[in-house]
Amino acid sequence: MPNRLALADPRLPALLLALASAGILGAALVFQYGFGYQPCILCIWQRWPYVAVLAFSIVTLLFPRWRGVGDALLVASGFALLANAGIAAYHVGVEQQWWAGTSGCGAPAVAATIEELRARILAAPVVRCDEVQWSLFGVSMAGYNVVLSLGMAAFAFASARVAYTRNPAVGLP
């Protein structure tokens, strides 16, 4: 873990969380648009907490003089990442057939007529949540996301604690 004094200012952990979130989102987009791996609905849901962490980090970086706000936003980032770990763990369970996926996992939206349903089915690519599209060493992207989200959440909570309990005599803004 970086120097405790460096973590006393919430801007450094916020920057590290922002860079990690941007990297993970970038990797997801490269897999989608560069390699043609279409995401399922659970994959899309797993992106939103990273967007939230980016937003929290940007606010922390833009307003360093708001005492306590950066600490609180690190905690909020930790909770967003824990939620993401939960979504990713649920996705892993769907992939392993431990439980059923959501109604949006590979199912087209409800249609009013048979013709409308047929048109939606033919027009939309079906991406099933229970099929692993890519894995490395037997672990799917959702599995890696569980590990990354939990690690980042632990870092966010630990950084928030250090920042919250910082010594005001240090002279940090």
Side-chain angles (χ1 to χ4, degrees):
M1 184 169 262
N3 184 332
R4 185 173 171 86
L5 182 59
L7 293 181
D9 183 353
R11 290 177 293 179
L12 176 61
L15 177 64
L16 295 175
L17 287 169
L19 291 173
S21 294
I24 291 168
L25 285 171
L29 293 173
V30 166
F31 269 90
Q32 181 178 350
Y33 295 107
F35 300 127
Y37 290 99
Q38 292 304 310
C40 69
I41 190 69
L42 292 175
C43 295
I44 299 295
W45 288 357
Q46 290 173 70
R47 294 178 186 184
W48 285 107
Y50 289 118
V51 172
V53 170
L54 273 170
F56 295 151
S57 297
I58 289 169
V59 170
T60 300
L61 293 169
L62 289 179
F63 302 102
R65 299 271 181 212
W66 289 3
R67 237 179 178 4
V69 171
D71 308 351
L73 291 176
L74 285 174
V75 171
S77 294
F79 282 122
L81 290 162
L82 280 180
N84 196 30
I87 296 167
Y90 176 76
H91 193 182
V92 169
V94 171
E95 290 174 339
Q96 298 300 317
Q97 275 85 46
W98 295 337
W99 45 73
T102 66
S103 61
C105 288
V110 177
T113 65
I114 297 293
E115 291 78 27
E116 184 182 349
L117 177 64
R118 183 169 189 244
R120 286 185 185 186
I121 290 172
L122 293 175
V126 176
V127 181
R128 298 184 50 92
C129 298
D130 61 353
E131 294 177 1
V132 177
Q133 291 193 28
W134 180 90
S135 68
L136 179 64
F137 308 118
V139 180
S140 69
M141 280 190 255
Y144 285 110
N145 195 20
V146 172
V147 174
L148 290 171
S149 294
L150 288 175
M152 288 173 65
F155 175 75
F157 287 131
S159 298
R161 179 160 169 40
V162 169
Y164 180 74
T165 59
R166 68 183 168 259
N167 183 355
V170 173
L172 294 173

